Amino acid sequence: MDCNCVSDLLLTPPVPALWTPGEASRMGALFCGSRGIAFPDWAYKPESSPGSRQIQLWHFILELLQKEEYQGVIAWQGDYGEFVIKDPDEVARLWGIRKCKPHMNYDKLSRALRYYYNKRILHKTKGKRFTYKFNFSKVVLVNYPLLDMASSPFLLQNHFNGGSAAPDCSPVTPEAIQSLFPRLPESGRGTSLFDRGATAPGPEGEKLRLDTFPFLSSGTPCYSKPPSLLGPYSRNPPFDYPWGFNPYLPGAFSLNNCPKLPPGSLYPSHFYPNPLQTSLGQLPHPFSSLLPPGEVAGGGERGVAGQTGGTNGTAGGQPRLCLPPYPGALTLGRTDIGNGGSICERERGDANTPG
DNA sequence: AACGGAATCG
DNA sequence: CGATTCCGTT
């Protein structure tokens, strides 16, 4: 096998993506549309799933973003989901290493990133060099289908299935969204989540403030909107979000300093430290078996106090995985994003391989 | 730098 | 399908 990184071997088992109506209801999920479940088509693809051993670029980017040591190379900056490639050559190099493409460079990398525009996974922040933005409504769905389906009132009542074949799905309501994000400004400092009919009242009567919710900005068929390209407030202190929590902020979920529960945040407390893990553990049948041994249910708030040893386990035996809100991060603990000793098959027409 | 077409690959 | 490669254009 080429380019075996530790990370590729530690991936979580893929979560079943298709449910029968019976299964769906047992999971507390809404059986939506003819296909059965509320994810975009590409989310079904094994290559896109967290369990896939073939890492995808957007996943790799998240991986880099999640690690502190790469903050000089690539980092979250600006609006929610927005990141800046500070060292394009280095990011390209790392990507090249991972994919065993010695000739990778930013020019090619950026071409690959552009591929995601159509998929609505990424879009370009115009006017800012090397700055892109994730559409988290896509990313989160791919990585936390269970969380989304079984636990989120917002996603329970709604769907991302393209809108065409789901007459039984209700549209995204402001209330549903607000209920998911308790710390979002209600209408306090003049900022409400919604412009009530003020600007351009759509058929729904109110318009989501996409600048506040950039990760809902595209790919949400119930709210068909083009990606919002310019966020009105470019914030100077990075990570200063209305709800005061960046899920990807190292320290919130970082592997290196385990669990610090954000005061109130994206997910209900019983989802910490790892929403997927916990939700899996609570589930009866096949799903709980997806967890590694010893990680099943019970504590609920495990990881908060339940440290095995040391600060994080880097010292002791098993490194304690504190997971950022996507299971792919399981791969992160001590892996080698840019490891020197990658086992790339000699690539055709390869360049740098010595010997 | 950023974009998109086109051919190609695994 | 998800890139990679090459390239011409803005």
Side-chain angles (χ1 to χ4, degrees), chain A residues 270-288:
Chain A
H270 57 278
F271 285 121
Y272 292 102
N274 173 16
L276 176 67
Q277 217 168 22
T278 312
S279 60
L280 277 178
Q282 288 170 347
L283 300 174
H285 43 284
F287 304 104
S288 49

Side-chain angles (χ1 to χ4, degrees), chain A residues 17 35 37-50 52 56 58-59 62 115-122 134-144 160-162 218-221:
Chain A
R35 308 260 317 284
I37 267 327
F39 310 124
D41 290 344
W42 59 274
Y44 290 95
K45 293 168 35 78
E47 304 82 40
S48 312
S49 84
S52 169
Q56 288 182 238
W58 66 266
H59 206 142
L62 282 179
Y115 170 81
Y116 288 124
Y117 295 176
N118 294 338
K119 294 267 180 261
R120 305 270 176 108
I121 294 171
L122 282 183
F134 271 102
N135 173 12
F136 279 128
S137 68
K138 290 278 192 180
V139 176
V140 167
L141 271 175
V142 173
N143 287 289
Y144 278 113
F160 290 81
N161 65 352
S218 65
T220 58

Side-chain angles (χ1 to χ4, degrees), chain A residues 49-68:
Chain A
S49 84
S52 169
R53 77 170 51 252
Q54 212 181 322
I55 189 163
Q56 288 182 238
L57 179 53
W58 66 266
H59 206 142
F60 177 77
I61 296 286
L62 282 179
E63 220 175 282
L64 290 179
L65 282 166
Q66 211 265 340
K67 302 205 84 184
E68 265 171 282

Side-chain angles (χ1 to χ4, degrees), chain A residues 313-327:
Chain A
T314 33
Q318 289 294 336
R320 176 110 192 129
L321 295 182
C322 283
L323 301 165
Y326 65 102

